[in-house]
Amino acid sequence: KQWYQRRVAITAGDPENSVPRDRTQKEIKDELLFLSTFTEPCIKYSGHYFQSTLIMSILLGIIGVDRFCLGWTGIGVGKMLTLGGLGIWWLIDIILLITGNLTPNDKSNWERLY
């Protein structure tokens, strides 16, 4: 609430209420300018499509291609060397994909198909 009151005071042109004793008017205006540039939450996309990843997991998941493409290289190597954990790991990864618990390693969201 205090931040909002300072913001209202600065935009209304009331410098006495807007400047705390330890900060200058310019610092507060710079902060407000910085904060006002963010109008929407940051959502990161990196080119991973859920549908293509699911198809890849079904067809080539036994050798770990799906994990390599999602950026989970170490797990992909383990999956490739054990042939998908003799099929068990392959099946678990398909279930994880469908339930939304297996996502790209860079914490990005799935791209949308339009």
Side-chain angles (χ1 to χ4, degrees):
K1 185 174 179 182
Q2 184 181 14
W3 176 83
Y4 179 74
Q5 289 173 343
R6 279 190 271 160
R7 181 175 180 215
V8 170
I10 288 173
T11 56
D14 185 9
E16 290 183 20
N17 293 332
S18 62
V19 181
R21 301 208 187 281
D22 60 334
R23 297 173 69 193
T24 65
Q25 182 84 17
K26 183 178 181 329
E27 290 173 340
I28 294 174
K29 283 186 179 180
D30 290 343
E31 178 184 346
L32 291 176
L33 180 64
F34 174 75
L35 292 173
S36 67
T37 58
F38 297 106
T39 57
E40 295 180 10
C42 296
I43 300 174
K44 182 179 175 184
Y45 296 102
S46 62
H48 298 287
Y49 293 93
F50 172 76
Q51 292 85 353
S52 60
T53 305
L54 181 62
I55 292 169
M56 189 182 337
S57 183
I58 292 170
L59 298 177
L60 300 171
I62 200 82
I63 56 173
V65 173
D66 54 344
R67 289 289 189 149
F68 283 113
C69 290
L70 289 176
W72 298 99
T73 309
I75 297 173
V77 169
K79 195 172 172 184
M80 181 175 60
L81 293 175
T82 61
L83 290 177
L86 300 175
I88 297 170
W89 199 346
W90 171 70
L91 185 62
I92 290 172
D93 274 353
I94 293 172
I95 293 169
L96 288 174
L97 264 172
I98 292 171
T99 59
N101 293 317
L102 179 59
T103 57
N105 190 20
D106 59 359
K107 307 295 184 228
S108 62
N109 293 325
W110 297 107
E111 290 279 350
R112 297 180 185 157
L113 291 177
Y114 292 103

